[in-house]
Amino acid sequence: MKKKWGKRIGIGLGAVLGLLIVAMVVIPMVVDVDAYRPDIITAAEKQLNGKLELGKLKLSLWGQVRVDVEGFALSDAKDQKVVASKDVYFHVSFLSLLAGAPHVTLNLKSPQLWVVKNRQGQLNVMQLVKTSAPAAPGSDATAPTAEVPGLVKNARLGLRINDAQLSYEDAVAKSKSEFNNVNLEMKEVSLTRPSEVNLWGTVDSQVAGMVIKGPVRLTAKGVPELKEGQFAQSEISLRCDLSELAIEMPETFVKTKDIPAYVEGKIVLSEKEARLENMSVQFHNASVKLTGRVENALSPTEENPLRLDMGFESNAIALAPWKDLVVSLRPYDLTGEMGVKGFVKGVLAKLEYEARPYLKGMTLSGAQLKGKPKVEASALIQTDRVTKMEMWMTSPGNDLRVTGRVDSFTAPRFAVLVNSTGMDLDQLIKFPPKSAQQAAVKATPVEKPADLDALLNPLRKNEMAKKASGSVEVQIEKLKAYEVAMSQLRGKMTLQNLVVNTEKFAMVVFDGKMNAQSRVELASKMPAYDFKLDLQGLDLQKAVASQFNPFKNTLVGKANFQTSLKGQSFNSDTAKKLLKGSGKMRIDDAVFNTIDIGKVAAQAINSALVQVGDKVAQLKGKTVTPPREQKSEYQSVTGDFTLNDGLFRAPNFFAKAKEKRGIDIKGNTEVNVITNALRADWELIDTYNELRARDIGANIAGVQINHILAKGNEPVRFPIRVEGTVFAPQISYASVPGALVNVALGNLKNAGEAKAKAAVQNEVKKQAGNLLKGIFK
């Protein structure tokens, strides 16, 4: 009997199996799932701001319910493709259907996704889905949700995307990034069961000069909870790991693939709020802990908007390890730590926040530093303002304190005070020698200069910058750099409507008191500016000795200088062409070293006498000797100048020597500030006969001329010319012989007329002819 029943059961099972096989073969032939394709497209496009293209659908029942799609593509409202794939299918296992918990999995192989951020900052993927219509009048938007049906409650969804390619283009940042081999696996996404999401891929991107390459991975696990058949909450654990990502910005920042970089923690998500538990962000040795909650995270409304209440606090971040990442820090021995803590709370439209960053015990040594400065800083940043910021720097011979505040980040109003009892930068910084600086400038290859005016365009377009206003005040008692000592630095700079004013900037330098004012208008296409300077009592000997020590005795005295300049553009050539102004100077009790004045004058006269003496025997061998004194003293050196059309003109320079202490100098100087071409015509006047050139006489044809090189009772005077460039001046004495000849000819003529004898006159003419031949040979 048992064998008979066993046989019957076997036959029954075989029949069922046979029927299933027949069904799996026949149903796909009878049921045309592709007939539902137009309905699917129509239903989808009702919810989309775009177009759905769906390939032919094909049903298979071998071991599962499987529907293959011969490719699909989704385009946005501008008919630009957003996502496309040629290999798509979804399937449902028979066992999950029989168990009343259908497990549906969608599979996409090698899809392509194009994400674009337009100039308005909008993402194309965020504009695909149509926004929901507002609730009908009288409807209850807060009505309780109906209980989830059992089949839906037990349903499980899955998604597998293999080897996807993601292209991201940012029209604002003008950058494009590629993400290759992107894979997404969503397992058991359900209202009742633990689910898991894994996303991984490879980044190959260049953004604003930064190169980003390497693998990234995101893992999230969720445990949902239902109460009375409704969704209550889900506990989500996540980790986004970027540790193996390499980031490089040449000469600025380098992150290798062994630097930790990840976000991990737990989020408890419900319909009313999302709570952050044990959430942390780790980058290198910096860790920031996040706590708090986001209310109305899943269903924000106008009456119940999304609201934040979150706090954050970092660890004490040691600065030394950051030398591995920040290139500019590598030459320094860096110590100290930094950190921050604060909170964010309120609705998105009106957030309140506070942050307290600090820098503690930071020291630097090495590279171009002589000392080891210590820096500490702190700030209190509150909603829409920096309530207080402070920075201190101390090192041997140096102390600096900067304090300030900023009110409003949309229309900033700032006030900053820079205060110091003394800054000796020579003790702090290893300045390169001046000769090395000059050599570096000469060795620098000539490149097309940047358009400095155009670089200000983003500032002119920035609404926050246009509304910014405030002041920076400077109070520095002593400042020293390159052996230049300055004291009593006082000044105030203000900003309003992109106009920068420097009010009453003053300081004492080389015993002189300097006062300056300036105004710069940044809003125009070519910035306009004007500048005024008044300098009284500058000790030239100290100034020249400090900057040009080999010439420390060339010019000494007390200098007074005033100038007023106006111009446009920050581009060098344009600025030089448009710069206009005038000024004047006066040096009292001036002293020129004789190597510059006496020797120049003696050399000029002697070179002329050599040429004349070859033809006029009476003057052969005549010379003058520079004064034995090592200096020429002047009552005053005065002059004024103008600057216009790229030409600097100083037409009336005059150096008035003290009695029997020097040689007068007067003349005109012109410099092309664009080409640096130099032309100066000077006249040297030996008012007090320091060279004894006035004593040179000659007996010609029986006529004694005692002062042959001087006109009447005047002193000996003669011109010199300086040409070339301001960097390579060339002194010419070519006009000296001609000038002295003219004087000598006049004296010969006068002597001949006095004698009134033909023979003498003939001899005078003869000697004058020889003199001319000697000069103009």
Side-chain angles (χ1 to χ4, degrees), residues 398-468:
N398 292 269
D399 85 273
L400 179 68
R401 183 180 184 186
V402 180
T403 60
R405 60 177 293 132
V406 179
D407 293 319
S408 175
F409 294 147
T410 54
R413 299 181 303 278
F414 60 87
V416 178
L417 174 62
V418 181
N419 191 285
S420 173
T421 58
M423 292 290 294
D424 187 348
L425 300 182
D426 289 331
Q427 287 193 56
L428 180 64
I429 302 172
K430 298 177 184 177
F431 289 116
K434 296 185 181 70
S435 57
Q437 286 183 316
Q438 295 168 356
V441 171
K442 293 179 180 179
T444 302
V446 178
E447 298 180 357
K448 184 179 179 180
D451 187 343
L452 301 181
D453 295 343
L455 290 177
L456 293 173
N457 286 337
L459 180 69
R460 300 183 187 110
K461 296 177 182 179
N462 188 294
E463 292 300 321
M464 184 175 71
K466 289 191 286 188
K467 297 175 182 177

Side-chain angles (χ1 to χ4, degrees), residues 7 19 38 52 76 107 140 231 348 378 435 641 660 696 752:
K7 185 176 181 181
L19 288 173
L52 175 64
D76 60 19
N107 295 267
D140 187 358
F231 172 76
L348 287 179
S378 66
S435 57
F641 68 86
K660 296 183 180 181
I696 295 176

Side-chain angles (χ1 to χ4, degrees), residues 625-673:
T625 304
R628 293 182 179 180
E629 291 287 341
Q630 294 300 307
K631 59 184 179 180
S632 295
E633 299 180 14
Y634 292 83
Q635 297 177 22
S636 63
V637 177
T638 60
D640 53 36
F641 68 86
T642 61
L643 183 59
N644 197 13
D645 298 326
L647 289 178
F648 171 89
R649 296 183 178 94
N652 52 7
F653 177 87
F654 182 51
K656 178 61 178 174
K658 292 182 178 180
E659 187 173 355
K660 296 183 180 181
R661 302 299 293 173
I663 299 172
D664 291 351
I665 309 169
K666 66 184 299 184
N668 170 68
T669 302
E670 185 175 290
V671 177
N672 188 315
V673 297

Side-chain angles (χ1 to χ4, degrees), residues 481-499:
Y482 273 116
E483 299 301 323
V484 178
M486 293 159 276
S487 63
Q488 300 176 41
L489 278 78
R490 299 288 187 274
K492 185 176 182 180
M493 183 210 76
T494 62
L495 173 67
Q496 181 77 44
N497 298 325
L498 291 181
V499 175

Side-chain angles (χ1 to χ4, degrees), residues 563-596:
T563 186
S564 177
L565 299 171
K566 291 185 177 182
Q568 287 180 284
S569 178
F570 292 149
N571 293 322
S572 178
D573 289 345
T574 304
K576 289 176 182 178
K577 291 177 183 177
L578 298 178
L579 192 62
K580 301 179 186 295
S582 61
K584 59 182 180 179
M585 65 104 174
R586 179 184 179 89
I587 305 173
D588 295 315
D589 294 325
V591 178
F592 284 96
N593 189 297
T594 53
I595 192 172
D596 290 330

Side-chain angles (χ1 to χ4, degrees), residues 36 65 114 197 217 275 345 410 412 523 585 613 698:
Y36 298 98
V65 179
W114 295 270
V197 177
R217 176 176 286 274
R275 294 196 315 273
K345 64 181 180 180
T410 54
M585 65 104 174

Side-chain angles (χ1 to χ4, degrees), residues 8-299:
R8 291 176 180 175
I9 291 173
I11 294 173
L13 289 174
V16 172
L17 182 59
L19 288 173
L20 288 175
I21 294 174
V22 171
M24 286 187 288
V25 174
V26 173
I27 292 175
M29 297 174 63
V30 175
V31 178
D32 184 11
V33 293
D34 191 56
Y36 298 98
R37 181 155 50 103
D39 296 331
I40 295 173
I41 294 175
T42 300
E45 291 186 344
K46 286 182 179 179
Q47 306 297 324
L48 296 173
N49 287 315
K51 178 182 177 182
L52 175 64
E53 298 176 44
L54 198 61
K56 187 177 180 180
L57 306 180
K58 183 180 179 181
L59 177 65
S60 172
L61 298 177
W62 288 101
Q64 59 187 347
V65 179
R66 172 170 169 155
V67 177
D68 289 275
V69 183
E70 292 183 357
F72 86 101
L74 180 60
S75 304
D76 60 19
K78 297 180 181 179
D79 203 28
Q80 300 292 323
K81 281 189 178 180
V82 178
V83 63
S85 179
K86 294 182 179 180
D87 191 348
V88 182
Y89 70 92
F90 67 87
H91 64 87
V92 183
S93 68
F94 284 130
L95 291 177
S96 67
L97 284 173
L98 294 174
H103 188 188
V104 183
T105 303
L106 175 63
N107 295 267
L108 288 82
K109 187 176 181 181
S110 301
Q112 290 180 292
L113 180 62
W114 295 270
V115 179
V116 178
K117 184 179 182 180
N118 61 23
R119 295 184 182 276
Q120 289 72 43
Q122 300 169 331
L123 292 172
N124 59 344
V125 294
M126 300 302 293
Q127 297 177 317
L128 283 174
V129 181
K130 294 180 179 178
T131 57
S132 301
S139 62
D140 187 358
T142 61
T145 306
E147 182 176 343
V148 180
L151 188 65
V152 175
K153 180 172 65 175
N154 295 324
R156 292 167 291 160
L157 301 178
L159 174 64
R160 290 192 182 94
I161 298 177
N162 297 317
D163 195 23
Q165 182 177 2
L166 170 62
S167 174
Y168 175 70
E169 185 173 352
D170 190 333
V172 177
K174 296 182 180 179
S175 64
K176 187 173 182 179
S177 304
E178 298 290 338
F179 300 86
N180 301 313
N181 190 30
V182 177
N183 301 275
L184 174 63
E185 186 177 37
M186 299 176 64
K187 300 178 180 178
E188 303 280 338
V189 178
S190 168
L191 294 176
T192 58
R193 301 187 181 203
S195 57
E196 182 176 341
V197 177
N198 292 292
L199 173 66
W200 69 99
T202 303
V203 179
D204 187 355
S205 174
Q206 292 189 19
V207 181
M210 182 182 295
V211 179
I212 306 173
K213 290 185 177 182
V216 297
R217 176 176 286 274
L218 170 67
T219 301
K221 296 181 179 180
V223 180
E225 180 180 337
L226 293 178
K227 287 186 178 180
E228 298 180 357
Q230 296 183 25
F231 172 76
Q233 67 177 30
S234 179
E235 187 178 282
I236 302 171
S237 300
L238 62 85
R239 179 182 175 93
C240 180
D241 198 338
L242 309 177
S243 299
E244 295 187 35
L245 203 62
I247 305 172
E248 181 176 1
M249 182 177 288
E251 304 301 324
T252 304
F253 181 86
V254 176
K255 176 201 173 299
T256 57
K257 63 181 181 179
D258 56 346
I259 298 293
Y262 58 84
V263 179
E264 67 178 1
K266 183 185 294 185
I267 300 175
V268 178
L269 180 65
S270 67
E271 187 175 4
K272 291 185 178 181
E273 67 176 17
R275 294 196 315 273
L276 276 61
E277 298 182 357
N278 301 320
M279 182 68 71
S280 66
V281 179
Q282 183 80 32
F283 186 80
H284 198 23
N285 67 331
S287 177
V288 179
K289 301 294 184 182
L290 303 173
T291 58
R293 67 182 187 274
V294 181
E295 297 179 5
N296 306 314
L298 293 182
S299 56

